Amino acid sequence: MVQGSSQRAFGVAGGGARALARSVLTRIGVFLGVSVLVFCVIHAAPGDPSLSVGVDVGDAVAVASDGARARFRAEHLLDASLVRQYLHYLGPFDLSPRGHPWFGGTGEDPWGGLVCFDFGHEFRRPTISVSSELAKRLAVTVPLTAVAVLLAYALAVPLGVACARRRGSAFDRATSTLLLACFSVPAYWAALLLMLVFGARGLDWLPMLGLHDKDAAEFGAFASALDLARHALLPVVVMTYGALAYIARQTRGAMIEALESDYVRAARARGLAETRVVWRHAFSNAVFPLLTLAGSLLPALVGGSVLVESIFELPGVGRYAYEGFLQRDYNVVMATTLVSALMTLAGLALSDALYAWFDPRVRRA
Amino acid sequence: MSSREPILVVEGLAKTYRTAAGPVEALRDVSFELARGERLAVVGESGSGKSTLVRALLALVRPDAGRVRLSPRGAGRMLEWSSLAGRELARARRYVQPVFQDPMASLNPRRPVIAAVEEPLVVHGLARGDAARARAIALCAEVGLEPATAARFPHELSLGQAQRACLARALASEPELLVLDEPTSALDVGLQAQIVNLLFASARARELALLFVSHDLDLVGHVAERVLVLERGRIVEAGAVEQVLDAPRHEHTRALVRAWQL
């Protein structure tokens, strides 16, 4: 038996590198699949990106001439076949008129595309590269999402544990009902309600739109931090409460299961302090499902950011995606979708890694 | 039996659960004594109140009526076991230790076996640090687990090894009564005999009282000195093992014995 289990451990450890390679390759495949799918969908959608082409005149955009539109279409291969367009997007060869000479280009810009980490330029503002704009937008969305996730876990886990320990009590029932209600309320509805209550039309306690006051540039460090916090408060609340309710319910369920296990019963019978029983023995086992949850929560929050950022007019990735869709800016749509696909895959990889780290059955295997 | 001093005195124990289908009387007026070093079996069908009795004896559920008194040598006096609470209860728990049916389920999957054996030593202040580790290794050796095996996680052990680990863990706090809930029913016959022999050896060496719950009358006949028969929460027959198994008086016991002989 001893020999058997060590053989088993060896067998799997030997396959570890291969398993890792396979999972990385699978994820790259999934990522490319997503890129093809999104590319086809966005091109199949009605609407013509060249209609939104214009000449920037200060704040206004003048409608472009037919000639300018034709040039735009040629430059972005909009009249080429879908396959050619996709290969142009994927890279590494630039297939546009100024692209690689092998494909009939002038050779000014031979390389480019996704595999060169090049998301192209915005259709509407050709001087702005999608990557640099995306970086700016991520700097808004990522901190907001991170705060929302951390806050959700920080509040939900103790709440779920408390409910599980007092299972069936008035506290448990009241909390569970409230959480279910929270979970059922759609985010856009909650966002609008919060804006009505706390915004200028209601109590007027909090700013409603954007991330900074219009005079923020003149504020000191403390005042501008406070200003940012006041602007971010409602969006963070809207992004948090649903996840909080969900995590708390999962925590409660996992804890109830752990608290009723024989090893917890045995731990109690051994005379351990209740806090040690609850945290060391029950919680350390209940934590697995919560970790897997983190992987699926992250993409959901990134997706939810489209809504929240649009409602609160925050300059984040979600809003960028929304604007891209409205203007049929293929490059923006592709980039934002692929970034969120990447985050989803990263989230899943993260939860796999955490799971392996925390569960000795996986770690040893 | 009466010549030996009692370790456990149970008087008029009752427990009723409120369920959606109405109240369920799990235990009704259960009284018995257990002497130091005695081996007592509690038999009964499922639903007879065996599990509730085990939990009450382990002070994991509080009885509605009646009391359980415990007289460990280590405490030097009679303890009102069923009404102890808080720190007093936690301290007294070292004298009564459980071994459950499913050894895999009763070991924390996230901790190596040696940590589980070591924990009671530390919690009850019996040893610390290296001394605790050494004692834990000695306990594991006593139940037949090598140090390399004891360093593993539960899922890396066989069922028999896991049950040995549970036994070592139960013995760590120097208990005077072991409460065993179907301790061998998850194991195959060969392993059952090994575990039972191990239990015997450990119990004799420590003058340890054993109370074990089982529906396996073979095991009962082999291990117990005395038997209690539970039916729907009530003791319907009690006596020496030969008398109860060979010449059962109560109808329910006769039915159990008939079913066993088939």
Side-chain angles (χ1 to χ4, degrees), chain B residues 100-103 159 163 181-189 191-192 195-196 213-216 219:
Chain B
F100 292 117
Q101 175 174 3
D102 181 354
L159 272 178
Q163 194 60 302
D181 186 358
E182 307 265 11
T184 60
S185 61
L187 310 175
D188 64 47
V189 178
L191 280 174
Q192 282 187 6
I195 294 289
V196 165
V213 163
S214 185
H215 63 262
D216 179 355
L219 180 74

Side-chain angles (χ1 to χ4, degrees), chain B residues 28-110:
Chain B
R28 279 188 286 180
D29 194 25
V30 169
S31 304
F32 63 91
E33 283 189 13
L34 181 62
R36 204 173 291 288
E38 192 184 4
R39 300 185 303 274
L40 174 71
V42 176
V43 300
E45 298 171 317
S46 45
S48 61
K50 291 179 299 184
S51 296
T52 305
L53 181 62
V54 164
R55 287 178 197 177
L57 294 180
L58 292 169
L60 293 173
V61 302
R62 209 165 259 274
D64 299 330
R67 61 179 183 171
V68 182
R69 286 182 296 161
L70 194 68
S71 175
R73 283 206 180 118
R77 64 192 168 91
M78 192 71 115
L79 300 172
E80 288 294 332
W81 178 235
S82 54
S83 46
L84 287 182
R87 290 176 66 94
E88 258 192 313
L89 175 63
R91 266 203 299 272
R93 282 190 184 281
R94 58 173 281 209
Y95 301 118
V96 183
Q97 283 297 304
V99 175
F100 292 117
Q101 175 174 3
D102 181 354
M104 285 301 175
S106 49
L107 291 167
N108 185 337
R110 294 218 41 223

Side-chain angles (χ1 to χ4, degrees), chain B residues 214-230:
Chain B
S214 185
H215 63 262
D216 179 355
L217 295 187
D218 275 325
L219 180 74
V220 170
H222 184 57
V223 176
E225 297 166 72
R226 251 186 342 127
V227 184
L228 296 181
V229 183
L230 268 186

Side-chain angles (χ1 to χ4, degrees), chain A residues 79-295:
Chain A
D79 297 317
S81 73
L82 212 53
V83 175
R84 193 178 163 91
Q85 286 190 50
Y86 179 74
L87 290 176
H88 171 67
Y89 187 79
L90 185 66
F93 299 108
D94 190 311
L95 307 185
S96 72
R98 306 197 307 147
H100 202 283
W102 289 1
F103 298 93
T106 59
E108 282 169 78
D109 241 340
W111 310 105
L114 192 57
V115 295
C116 306
F117 302 102
D118 170 18
F119 287 121
H121 289 78
E122 286 186 14
F123 281 7
R124 209 171 75 111
R125 301 179 293 177
T127 51
I128 292 180
S129 87
V130 174
S131 325
S132 67
E133 183 66 20
L134 199 58
K136 272 191 240 164
R137 303 296 187 118
L138 279 170
V140 173
T141 302
V142 169
L144 275 181
T145 312
V147 169
V149 170
L150 291 179
L151 201 63
Y153 270 95
L155 297 174
V157 166
L159 202 61
V161 171
C163 282
R165 289 178 69 177
R166 296 168 189 72
R167 184 188 183 185
S169 68
F171 169 78
D172 177 31
R173 275 182 310 217
T175 311
S176 297
T177 312
L178 192 71
L179 290 177
L180 191 64
C182 274
F183 186 58
S184 321
V185 170
Y188 67 88
W189 189 83
L192 294 175
L193 189 76
L194 287 171
M195 285 171 93
L196 277 177
V197 173
F198 294 105
R201 286 196 208 155
L203 298 167
D204 200 11
W205 286 356
L206 291 169
M208 285 192 292
L209 304 176
L211 266 187
H212 301 284
D213 195 88
K214 59 181 171 21
D215 304 323
E218 295 154 28
F219 291 169
F222 177 75
S224 75
L226 186 71
D227 179 53
L228 183 65
R230 278 163 50 84
H231 279 84
L233 184 61
L234 289 185
V236 165
V237 167
V238 171
M239 288 171 87
T240 304
Y241 78 87
L244 185 154
Y246 190 59
I247 299 169
R249 282 180 64 80
Q250 297 289 328
T251 308
R252 177 180 177 275
M255 272 304 278
I256 283 174
E257 200 184 317
L259 284 171
E260 286 183 351
S261 67
D262 275 348
Y263 57 83
V264 164
R265 207 166 277 141
R268 285 224 169 88
R270 250 173 288 153
L272 307 191
E274 187 62 16
T275 48
R276 191 179 166 99
V277 171
V278 168
W279 294 104
R280 176 72 74 87
H281 289 279
F283 184 71
S284 66
N285 283 287
V287 84
F288 301 151
L290 303 182
L291 292 174
T292 344
L293 207 62

